[in-house]
Every structure is written in C-alpha cells, then in structure tokens.
Amino acid sequence: MADGRVRLRHLRTFLEVSRQHSIGKAAEVLNVSQPAVTKTIRELEAILGAPLFDREGRGIRLSHYGEVFLRHAGASIAAVQQGIDSVARARAGGGPPIRIGALPTVSTRIMPRAMAQFLAARTGSQTKIVTGENFVLLDQLRLGQLDIVVGRLAAPEQMAGLAFEHLYAEQVRFVVRTGHPLLSGRLDFARIREFPILMPTRGSVIRPFVERFLLAHGIAELPGEIETVSDAFGRAFVRSSDAVWIISEGVVAADVADGLLQFLPIDTSETRGAVGLTTRQGEARHAAMEILSRAIRDTVEVLRL
C-alpha cells in the first residue's frame, strides 16, 4: 500500500532537483525558497528511509536509490496530469489529448505526413507538437508534460523510467549553400575552419557524435563556431553566407532535394544514431496514441528511412 505521507509536492520537488542537479535552480523553477526545497527533500528521504542525492562538486546527483525512485516518481506525476487532462477532455466531448515532443529533424521530415494520416482517422483527440532539444523533451515526457517523444535514443542514464522503440537511423551531415567555395575541386576537410560553423548546442544529443567526428579528423577547435538549435536561423544564415551547418540530415533533406543547399562530400556514416518513439515505461497507450504511433511508423516506411 502507498505511504500516505508522500505528497505531490514531494514528487514535484524531487523531479525538479533531479532535473536541475541543483537545489538553488530547482527553487527558482518551483518559485520557493532553497530551505523549503531542502526541507521537502529531507522529508521525502525520511519517508523512504534512503538518501536520494549525493554531493558532486558544487552540485548534486541522484544516488542509486534516487535513480530507482525516479522511474516511479515521474510516472506518478504523469498519471495525475493525464487524469486531469482526460477529465477536461471528456467534459469537452472529445478523445484524450496527445502532446508530442519532436526533434527539429522529425518535425520537418516525419510529422507533417504522420499528422495528416492521424487527422484522417478522426480520433477527436487534440494534439500539441513541441519541438526542442532531446534532453528537454525527455524531461518533459518524464514530468507528464508530454505523452510521447520522437527523437534520438539518449544515453542510458537519461532513459531511466522510459521505453524506446527504434524507427530508423540518421546521421549528421555538413551542409552549405549551393556554390560554396568548399564545393569546388577536391575537398580539404581541414578548410572548414576558415568558415563560420553552425554547431549543435552542448548538451544536445548529436553534439558528442559531432565532437568525436571532428577530433577523429584532426579538428580540436573551430574558431568561428556558433551554437544553435534553430533550424530557421540555420537555414537562413547558411543560404546567405559561406557558413557550414553541422546538422541532422533530416532537417535539411528537403532543402537539398530542392537544390537550395548541398551536402559536403564527407563520409559521416559513423555519426548515425537511432531515432524512435520514447514513452514512459510500463504505461499503456490508449487508442488515439496507437493510431498516432502507427502513422509515424507508416511515414518512416513510406520515406524509406
């Protein structure tokens, strides 16, 4: 039987501290004082009889017990939020809402066709699509703010309490405007340092792939590096300059097909990573969610990704 001493405030505070790795930052997000956050965490640890966090330099990290509890705390908050949303939706006479998190590459390449197929099924469910960085979307999924994420497979420590269904693999590409100087003659890869470089942000799921690739090819730093996750900025900047954009292939596939951008002739197959559907572990999917998942799978098959 559940311990009645555990309240929603305990779970919300625990989840935010685990996400921020900081009492102070969690307090800012929750709009409470740091002592209040500390007190709540200590109360929860006393109830569970185990330490949930360990000190790590100036910050904190989940303990072994914290990692175990995280899998269930996120699911509990998500279940409450789903209950609230389901009641609101039932009162409005429609199906359960679906909140979808999608990486920019997925939003551009997969979701338009998948959503057209989903809407044709007339489930009555309202949908919301959120685009952002992979780790942000997974945090929102764990907190119940999203119901499904279509993105890259994250590191094992980021997948606690989550389940992943593989759809396809995607690689990182180096993209430039048509007529770029690097497209003339034999490509000297080291010359990319001469141009502005649009890089995925630190903490983004593809950043480690990019850094390993660059180091393997003798490039330790990029003088003209610009970090961005904005595909709108990247597309506009690259088309109007000599910048090189390092980005997931799907984001610019249509631009390349239309001849507006071009891939540099560089073999980046070693940067391929799994893309798929991520949901909360052990959570049953309702009918509308199954229809959406099927639409996404069908789109991947049609596009032969």
Side-chain angles (χ1 to χ4, degrees), residues 237-250:
F237 188 64
V238 169
R239 288 178 61 180
S240 62
S241 72
D242 284 340
V244 178
W245 191 8
I246 307 177
I247 189 69
S248 292
E249 182 175 1

Side-chain angles (χ1 to χ4, degrees), residues 57-291:
R58 294 184 178 180
I60 57 176
R61 62 178 177 82
L62 284 171
S63 68
H64 167 70
Y65 302 107
E67 291 178 354
V68 171
F69 188 64
L70 177 63
R71 301 170 190 172
H72 307 285
S76 299
I77 289 290
V80 172
Q81 186 61 55
Q82 279 191 319
I84 294 171
D85 293 341
S86 295
V87 170
R89 189 63 185 163
R91 291 179 63 188
I98 302 178
R99 299 155 302 179
I100 309 155
L103 288 180
T105 175
V106 173
S107 294
T108 302
R109 201 176 196 182
I110 306 295
M111 294 312 298
R113 181 187 290 267
M115 284 306 301
Q117 180 176 326
F118 175 75
L119 293 175
R122 299 184 181 277
T123 65
S125 292
Q126 290 185 341
T127 54
K128 175 183 179 181
I129 300 177
V130 177
T131 297
E133 294 185 80
N134 209 65
F135 77 94
V136 174
L137 297 178
L138 293 181
D139 279 341
Q140 292 177 341
L141 174 65
R142 192 174 284 110
L143 292 170
Q145 297 167 357
L146 294 174
D147 301 304
I148 188 169
V149 169
V150 193
R152 282 215 177 201
L153 175 63
E157 62 270 16
Q158 297 175 357
M159 292 299 293
L162 303 177
F164 181 82
E165 176 189 338
H166 181 272
L167 292 174
Y168 64 98
E170 183 172 58
Q171 67 193 69
V172 174
R173 299 296 294 266
F174 290 70
V175 188
V176 296
R177 64 172 175 82
T178 299
H180 192 282
L182 289 176
L183 293 172
S184 59
R186 182 182 177 86
L187 175 64
D188 178 1
F189 184 66
R191 285 193 61 206
I192 69 168
R193 300 178 78 257
E194 301 172 12
F195 304 93
I197 304 292
L198 299 188
M199 282 278 285
T201 57
R202 301 179 193 279
S204 66
V205 72
I206 66 172
R207 178 72 181 226
F209 291 88
V210 174
E211 291 179 337
R212 285 195 295 269
F213 183 87
L214 292 173
L215 285 173
H217 290 79
I219 298 179
E221 60 176 300
L222 296 166
E225 177 181 326
I226 303 171
E227 290 190 15
T228 181
V229 293
S230 171
D231 54 312
F233 168 73
R235 186 171 286 106
F237 188 64
V238 169
R239 288 178 61 180
S240 62
S241 72
D242 284 340
V244 178
W245 191 8
I246 307 177
I247 189 69
S248 292
E249 182 175 1
V251 174
V252 292
D255 301 273
V256 172
D258 292 339
L260 301 175
L261 299 175
Q262 289 186 240
F263 294 131
L264 288 179
I266 302 169
D267 181 7
T268 57
S269 55
E270 65 190 78
T271 66
R272 290 174 69 85
V275 178
L277 305 176
T278 303
T279 54
R280 288 180 289 274
Q281 200 168 57
E283 186 171 279
R285 297 183 188 178
H286 52 71
M289 183 75 79
E290 286 293 353
I291 291 172

